[in-house]
Structures are given as structure tokens and as C-alpha cells.
């Protein structure tokens, strides 16, 4: 653990990323406390520019809503969607990949065909189709994002399991009479964990980008304030109030950047040999 | 080679069939009457139209008969009728497809060429300030939402600086012909193609850089150096050729993603392609159009994958032809 932290800290970008993410998480948690009013509520005249009035640091949008409150509540939604959809995607991808890699042969063929199908079709279009047909709600947004983001997990886990299953400690476990489930869960998966963790951190970033794109197109939950929605709503007034599109975009950029940086840091810290090789 | 291509084609056909079944199931899983779903949001279609639809798709017959009718139609490129636009969906898509192919094609070539050049430049002087700048920029582009870059590009280059047109495919009412028309479209293409390409350029740059650095440590490079070849020759002829392979693989896999990006770019720039068509259809709940665009875009992606596979085999003859 100490070594892990030492190697993680060595990557300066990752530390910066960690600070940004900590700030975003704090904002998301404190949003209901700092901005107890609904972010949809009109608080002032529309198009109030930033830094012109106390208490409304970032001004108001086209409908007089507090931009700062929108950003804070949006942080919560982005992180929630990013985290939960990644967990769901892992819950689909890890078993598929583990079964394919462990049993090989026909099981592998069938599962990988299935994975390949989802990887070939245009994933963003698939997410749009799913959300357009079913009413967009937060749950469905999360489901749609998970459905399009699990294939890389399955491929990664399959590769790891394929290389681990012929190792001696797995043979030893088989000889000691353990069942397949026990071997996969107790012996193989724990060893495949580092690359999965790295991938997961990058997936959270991608999920946040995907969520913002979907709500930008008007496919987000209509009751929830999100960064993508804010940009989509401010799009038509970009000539007169560009900051309304600019600010939420910066929020997305910083959060996604932070997660990507952390992912690289985790990669350095968890796969030290790999890093040295690629330096 | 021919057997390889045939094998890939068979696979592509299976994937397209699976998408059709998937679309069909979605129409039936959607809340409400399938006929109303196909006609668009309730209220858009009159009763006679719905009855027609029910009869045509045999909605009173068992599900497998309906599926058969649906697939038979789609194979003959009958993708249904858009009640909102008063046009067959296939015709709508056919009209818009060239614009999307132009946009994605230019963006793809641009991002691949510039990405590889930037990646090679960064890897040549690893750790230098040039490498740092290129790598940082790639990291930033990779984290930026595409639709936001598009909006900001319009704001800066079109609204503030007035250098380039910020929306549309050509100047409306200008009536340019010949070369003037081509130049006009090219001018309109600059912002959409470069914003769409930016994200992918970042990916190809990072991939090329990592791949170049990895290959440059292999033994045959040492041999080349020992032979007394110049740095430039080794970079170009020995390292780059081998380093390109994973980049091509990745580029092939990303065809679907580029189309996803095109939906967003076309929406922002009012580019009259199938992505914009899909966006309009979302707002109008015009399900036939949404599903049709999904199906056609998947077909395009499969076609593109086939082409990259063939290119791959040409670039690297060592690749075994398996289907």
C-alpha cells in the first residue's frame, strides 16, 4: 500500500487529478447544503453575467436560474452516472470475460461473438436508440451507458484470465479439489484486478462524457439538472451569453481530465513493470 | 484473400440481421402500440395511417410472421415511412448520407495523418518540451466533450473572428457552381471536420507515440543503428512501419465511434447528414428514422471495418487470414 502511494505520487499529473476530483466530489456532496433550493428555480433576471452580483457568483441562465447551483447539482449527477454505470458495466463485462477466458473453446467463441457484436455496432447511436424509445430517466441513462461500455471490460478480463489459467497456482488449486467458481473468484480474478481498476477509472471518465453528450441532445432525465443539459439549453444563446455554454463545458473537461490523469497514475502504481518498459 | 473477404461479408450480414431483430424487439418493447411507435409520437398519425401500418406489417399476426415481414422489407432497403417528414426513411437517409460520408471521411483522414505525425514527432524527442506540449494537448483534447469543442469553435472562429461559416453545408442562395461550389462546401467543412477529428487525433497521437517508443527498443532497431543508418531512415523505414500496425487496428475499431461523434458535430453545425437527421428525429420521436439511421450507420461501420481489414493484410503480409 505504501509502495502503491509512493509510485502514484511520483506521477505529478495523477496528484493534480486527485485534487481536482476531490474538489468535484466535495462540490457534489455539499450541493444540497450550499444550494438547498432547486437548481430549476428562477432566482434573478435572466442573463445576469458572472461576477456582477453577490450570492450569484456565476450569474443566471436564459431562464434566470442560478448557474453556480446548476453546476454544483450537475457535479452530483455526473459523478453518480459515471460511477454507477461503470459498476454495472463491470458487473456485465467481468463475468462474460471470466467465463470466456476460463472455459475457452465453444463458450469462449459464443461469448466473444456476442461481445464483438456490441463492439461493432455504433455505440453512441445504440445509446440514442435505447433512450429515444424508452422514456429517458436517470435509471435508463445509466442502463444505456452500461450496455454500450461493457465490451472492453469483457475483452480485457478474458485476456487476463486466459493467461492466468495455465499458471501453476491455478493448477495447484485445481488439484486441491476446488470448484471452478472458487478458482475463478478466489484465485484468478484477484490477480487480474490491477488492469481492471485502471480501465474502470477511465470508464468513469468516458461515462461522464457520454452522459453529457446524451443530455446535450435532450436525452437526459428531464427532471435532473446536468452539465450536458445546461450546454444544450444555452446553445441557442451562444452569441449573446457564451459563458453559459463555456462554464459547464469546463466543468466536464476538468472532471474527465482529472479521472484520466488518475487512471494513468493508477497504471503507473499498479503495473510498475509496464511503466518502466514504456518510459 | 477472396475467401477471407467472403467470410467477413457473411459475418457482417449476420450482425446486420441481429440489429434488425434487435430493432424489431425494441419497437415491440417500447411502451404503447407498435403501430403508433412506428408512426411517431401519438397524435402525429391519423387512424387510417395506423390501420395501413397494422395491415402492412401484419401487426395482427404472430410475432415471428411480423419479424419476417420486417426483415424482408429492411433487406430490400424498405426502412418504413416517416410520417413527420412525409417521405420514405430510406430516401431521407439516402439524401443525407453523402454529407455524413464526406464529413467523417475527411475527419478520419485528417485525424489519422495529423495524429501519426504528431505521435512520431513526440516520440522522436521523448521528454523534450515539444513532446510535453504535444502530449499535454492530446490529453486535453481527449478529455473535452466533442459538442462543446464544436460550440466553442463556432463561437471563436465564426462569431468572434468571422473567419469561417459556423453552420450549414453551403451558402444558402449563393447559387455557386463548379469550383466555386466545391470551395464553398470546403469552407463550411473546415470547422465540423476539425472538431470531429480533434478527439480522434488525440487518440491516434497517444497510440503512435507509445507504439513508436515500444518498437524503438526492439533488437532489429539496434541492428539498423549498428549498420550506421541515419536516425531519420530508422524512424521512417524501420520503426514507423511496425508501429503503425496497432494504430491501424485501433482506427478500424473506431469507425463506430466516429459516427457517434458525427451525430454531435452535425447537430451543432447544422451539417445536413444522417447524424443531424437522427437528432431531428429524436426531438420529433420519429422512431422509424432513428432505427433506420442506426441500421444504416451499422452497415457503414461494417463496410469500413472490412476495408481496414483488407488494408491491414496489405500493410502486413504476415497476418494470417482468419475469419
Amino acid at each position: 500500500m505504501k509502495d502503491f502511494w509512493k509510485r502514484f505520487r511520483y506521477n505529478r499529473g495523477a496528484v493534480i487529478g486527485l485534487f481536482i476530483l476531490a474538489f468535484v466530489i466535495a462540490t457534489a456532496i455539499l450541493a444540497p447544503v450550499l444550494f438547498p433550493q432547486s437548481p430549476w428555480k428562477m432566482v434573478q433576471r435572466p442573463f445576469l453575467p458572472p461576477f456582477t452580483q453577490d450570492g450569484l457568483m456565476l450569474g443566471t441562465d436564459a431562464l434566470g436560474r442560478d448557474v453556480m447551483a446548476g453546476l454544483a447539482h450537475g457535479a452530483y449527477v455526473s459523478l453518480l452516472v459515471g460511477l454507477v454505470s461503470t459498476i454495472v458495466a463491470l458487473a456485465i463485462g467481468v463475468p462474460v470475460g471470466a467465463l470466456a477466458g476460463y472455459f475457452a473453446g465453444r463458450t469462449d467463441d459464443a461469448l466473444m461473438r456476442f461481445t464483438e457484436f456490441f463492439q461493432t455496432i455504433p455505440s453512441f447511436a445504440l445509446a440514442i436508440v435505447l433512450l429515444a424509445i424508452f422514456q429517458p430517466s436517470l435509471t435508463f441513462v445509466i442502463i444505456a451507458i452500461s450496455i454500450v461500455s461493457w465490451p472492453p471490460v469483457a475483452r480485457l478480463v478474458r485476456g487476463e484470465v486466459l493467461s492466468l489459467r495455465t499458471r501453476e497456482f491455478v493448477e495447484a488449486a485445481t488439484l486441491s479439489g476446488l470448484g471452478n467458481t472458487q478458482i475463478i473468484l478466489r484465485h484468478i480474478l484477484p490477480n487480474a484486478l490491477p488492469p481492471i481498476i485502471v480501465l474502470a477509472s477511465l470508464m468513469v471518465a468516458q461515462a461522464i462524457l457520454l452522459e453529457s453528450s446524451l443530455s446535450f441532445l435532450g436525452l437526459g432525465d428531464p427532471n435532473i439538472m446536468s452539465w450536458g443539459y445546461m450546454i444544450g439549453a444555452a446553445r441557442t444563446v451562444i452569441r449573446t451569453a457564451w459563458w453559459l455554454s463555456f462554464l459547464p463545458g469546463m466543468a466536464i473537461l476538468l472532471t474527465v481530465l482529472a479521472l484520466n490523469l488518475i487512471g494513468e497514475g493508477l497504471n503507473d502504481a499498479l503495473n510498475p513493470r509496464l511503466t518502466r518498459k514504456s518510459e | 484473400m477472396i475467401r477471407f473477404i467472403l467470410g467477413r461479408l457473411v459475418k457482417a450480414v449476420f450482425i446486420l440481421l441481429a440489429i434488425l431483430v434487435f430493432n424489431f424487439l425494441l419497437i415491440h418493447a417500447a411502451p404503447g402500440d407498435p403501430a403508433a411507435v412506428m408512426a411517431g409520437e401519438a397524435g402525429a398519425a391519423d387512424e387510417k395511417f395506423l390501420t395501413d401500418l397494422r395491415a402492412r406489417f401484419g401487426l395482427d399476426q404472430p410475432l415471428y410472421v411480423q419479424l419476417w415481414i420486417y426483415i424482408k422489407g429492411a433487406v430490400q432497403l424498405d426502412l418504413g415511412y416517416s410520417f413527420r417528414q412525409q417521405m420514405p426513411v430510406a430516401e431521407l437517409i439516402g439524401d443525407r448520407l453523402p454529407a455524413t460520408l464526406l464529413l467523417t471521411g475527411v475527419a478520419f483522414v485528417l485525424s489519422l495523418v495529423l495524429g501519426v505525425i504528431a505521435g512520431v514527432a513526440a516520440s522522436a524527442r521523448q521528454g523534450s518540451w515539444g513532446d510535453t506540449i504535444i502530449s499535454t494537448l492530446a490529453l486535453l483534447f481527449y478529455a473535452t466533450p466533442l459538442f462543446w469543442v464544436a460550440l466553442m469553435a463556432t463561437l471563436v472562429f465564426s462569431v468572434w473572428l468571422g473567419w469561417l461559416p459556423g453552420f450549414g453545408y453551403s451558402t444558402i442562395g449563393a447559387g455557386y457552381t463548379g469550383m466555386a461550389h466545391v470551395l464553398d462546401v470546403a469552407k463550411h467543412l473546415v470547422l465540423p471536420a476539425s472538431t470531429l477529428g480533434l478527439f480522434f487525433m488525440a487518440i491516434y497521437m497517444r497510440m503512435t507515440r507509445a507504439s513508436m517508443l515500444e518498437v524503438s527498443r526492439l533488437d532489429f532497431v539496434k541492428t539498423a543503428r549498428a549498420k550506421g543508418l541515419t536516425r531519420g531512415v530508422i524512424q521512417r523505414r524501420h520503426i514507423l512501419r511496425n508501429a503503425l500496425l496497432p494504430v491501424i487496428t485501433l482506427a478500424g475499431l473506431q469507425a463506430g465511434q466516429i459516427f457517434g461523434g458525427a451525430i454531435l458535430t452535425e447537430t451543432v453545425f447544422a451539417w445536413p447528414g444522417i447524424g443531424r437527421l437522427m437528432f431531428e428525429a429524436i426531438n420529433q420521436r420519429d422512431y422509424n428514422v432513428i432505427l433506420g439511421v442506426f441500421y444504416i450507420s451499422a452497415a457503414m461501420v461494417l463496410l469500413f471495418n472490412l476495408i481496414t481489414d483488407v488494408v491491414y493484410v496489405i500493410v502486413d503480409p504476415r497476418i494470417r487470414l482468419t475469419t
Side-chain angles (χ1 to χ4, degrees):
Chain A
M1 196 59 205
K2 215 170 158 191
D3 274 2
F4 167 83
W5 180 237
K6 219 164 116 190
R7 283 195 297 262
F8 186 84
R9 225 173 31 191
Y10 189 70
N11 186 328
R12 227 183 314 155
V15 178
I16 297 174
L18 210 56
F19 272 109
I20 302 177
L21 187 69
F23 177 73
V24 179
I25 293 175
T27 314
I29 294 173
L30 291 176
V33 184
L34 294 173
F35 306 96
Q37 281 187 334
S38 157
W40 299 91
K41 197 171 174 285
M42 186 169 173
V43 290
Q44 247 289 348
R45 74 173 176 86
F47 296 120
L48 191 73
F51 309 117
T52 48
Q53 186 163 353
D54 289 340
L56 286 169
M57 199 171 87
L58 296 178
T60 60
D61 71 358
L63 294 173
R65 297 174 291 209
D66 184 356
V67 173
M68 188 82 174
L71 286 180
H73 284 266
Y76 171 75
V77 176
S78 287
L79 292 179
L80 182 77
V81 171
L83 200 66
V84 178
S85 57
T86 300
I87 292 171
V88 177
L90 288 175
I92 309 171
V94 171
V96 170
L99 291 177
Y102 188 77
F103 290 107
R106 275 203 194 150
T107 321
D108 184 29
D109 270 352
L111 286 174
M112 279 302 115
R113 285 275 152 90
F114 183 65
T115 312
E116 219 173 275
F117 171 73
F118 275 92
Q119 217 167 17
T120 320
I121 55 178
S123 59
F124 189 58
L126 174 63
I128 288 179
V129 166
L130 287 172
L131 286 175
I133 293 224
F134 301 97
Q135 298 309 317
S137 65
L138 196 58
T139 318
F140 252 104
V141 171
I142 290 172
I143 292 177
I145 294 178
S146 327
I147 287 182
V148 300
S149 44
W150 67 267
V153 184
R155 292 192 90 96
L156 176 82
V157 172
R158 173 182 174 267
E160 290 291 315
V161 173
L162 263 181
S163 73
L164 285 171
R165 65 189 269 269
T166 48
R167 297 274 285 274
E168 276 165 3
F169 68 89
V170 176
E171 275 169 27
T174 318
L175 284 176
S176 72
L178 280 179
N180 286 332
T181 328
Q182 291 288 320
I183 294 177
I184 295 177
L185 288 180
R186 291 252 188 98
H187 295 267
I188 296 186
L189 281 184
N191 284 294
L193 213 52
I196 299 177
I197 292 175
V198 174
L199 181 66
S201 69
L202 299 175
M203 278 167 66
V204 175
Q206 286 305 306
I208 289 177
L209 275 182
L210 199 55
E211 187 277 332
S212 69
S213 307
L214 289 168
S215 37
F216 171 74
L217 291 178
L219 287 168
D221 190 322
N223 302 312
I224 288 172
M225 182 63 80
S226 76
W227 292 339
Y229 166 81
M230 291 172 81
I231 301 177
R235 208 187 117 198
T236 47
V237 295
I238 190 158
R239 281 164 188 275
T240 47
W242 58 271
W243 59 88
L244 290 180
S245 316
F246 177 77
L247 293 171
M250 280 311 281
I252 301 172
L253 169 59
L254 285 176
T255 311
V256 173
L257 183 67
L259 283 160
N260 284 341
L261 288 171
I262 292 172
E264 281 187 6
L266 284 175
N267 194 28
D268 290 0
L270 293 170
N271 308 320
R273 261 175 312 148
L274 259 175
T275 323
R276 227 168 290 143
K277 207 175 78 185
S278 69
E279 252 168 20
Chain B
M1 187 73 174
I2 289 169
R3 268 194 64 188
F4 164 75
I5 293 175
L6 276 179
R8 282 292 157 109
L9 272 178
V10 170
K11 205 167 167 185
V13 168
F14 269 107
I15 293 181
L16 285 180
L17 278 178
I19 289 179
L20 286 177
V21 174
F22 180 78
N23 276 355
F24 175 80
L25 291 177
L26 270 182
I27 294 176
H28 284 266
D33 175 12
V37 171
M38 276 192 267
E41 205 176 39
D46 53 30
E47 203 41 49
K48 188 185 161 294
F49 184 71
L50 289 185
T51 330
D52 277 359
L53 262 182
R54 282 197 196 97
R56 208 166 123 233
F57 286 93
L59 291 182
D60 40 1
Q61 290 178 43
L63 217 55
Y64 64 89
V65 179
Q66 293 180 34
L67 177 64
W68 174 241
I69 297 174
Y70 182 79
I71 289 182
K72 213 166 67 180
V75 168
Q76 295 162 2
L77 275 183
D78 173 7
L79 300 172
Y81 191 80
S82 165
F83 191 78
R84 293 271 180 178
Q85 314 249 18
Q86 297 290 345
M87 240 176 136
V89 174
E91 223 170 279
L92 270 174
I93 294 178
D95 282 352
R96 303 281 200 105
L97 193 57
T100 298
L101 292 180
L102 178 68
L103 172 65
T104 46
V106 170
F108 176 71
V109 173
L110 203 73
S111 61
L112 194 59
V113 171
L114 293 181
V116 168
I117 291 176
V120 171
S123 71
R125 300 250 184 283
Q126 196 197 354
S128 69
W129 57 267
D131 178 25
T132 313
I133 291 177
I134 295 177
S135 299
T136 313
L137 279 179
L139 203 64
L140 274 178
F141 294 154
Y142 188 62
T144 324
L146 199 89
F147 56 93
W148 185 73
V149 179
L151 277 172
M152 292 302 125
T154 325
L155 182 70
V156 174
F157 296 106
S158 183
V159 178
W160 286 351
L161 298 171
W163 288 353
L164 291 159
F167 65 93
Y169 179 78
S170 55
T171 315
I172 297 160
Y176 291 128
T177 48
M179 216 39 217
H181 175 70
V182 173
L183 274 176
D184 187 40
V185 172
K187 242 187 184 169
H188 282 82
L189 185 62
V190 174
L191 284 183
S194 35
T195 42
L196 177 55
L198 215 54
F199 176 81
F200 297 97
M201 194 180 98
I203 297 180
Y204 302 144
M205 179 265 146
R206 287 161 63 104
M207 188 85 192
T208 309
R209 180 177 179 277
S211 180
M212 289 284 287
L213 290 177
E214 203 169 307
V215 174
S216 66
R217 258 183 301 272
L218 297 179
D219 284 343
F220 76 90
V221 177
K222 275 184 205 141
T223 314
R225 219 169 272 150
K227 273 200 310 192
L229 293 179
T230 61
R231 234 183 112 89
V233 172
I234 296 176
Q235 286 273 348
R236 274 195 312 275
R237 302 251 301 266
H238 295 254
I239 305 178
L240 181 61
R241 276 216 182 160
N242 288 284
L244 269 182
L245 293 174
V247 182
I248 295 178
T249 315
L250 188 79
L253 278 173
Q254 259 162 356
Q257 275 209 41
I258 291 195
F259 175 71
I263 300 176
L264 292 166
T265 339
E266 289 180 5
T267 301
V268 173
F269 290 106
W271 186 259
I274 56 174
R276 174 86 189 175
L277 182 68
M278 198 176 201
F279 173 68
E280 288 159 4
I282 296 169
N283 285 332
Q284 300 166 338
R285 302 266 171 240
D286 197 342
Y287 297 112
N288 264 350
V289 173
I290 299 179
L291 292 174
V293 171
F294 177 50
Y295 173 64
I296 294 297
S297 62
M300 290 296 132
V301 169
L302 287 168
L303 187 68
F304 184 79
N305 283 347
L306 188 70
I307 296 172
T308 38
D309 280 342
V310 173
V311 170
Y312 204 95
V313 176
I314 294 170
V315 174
D316 188 359
R318 287 170 305 179
I319 303 293
R320 271 181 302 132
L321 300 179
T322 50
T323 46

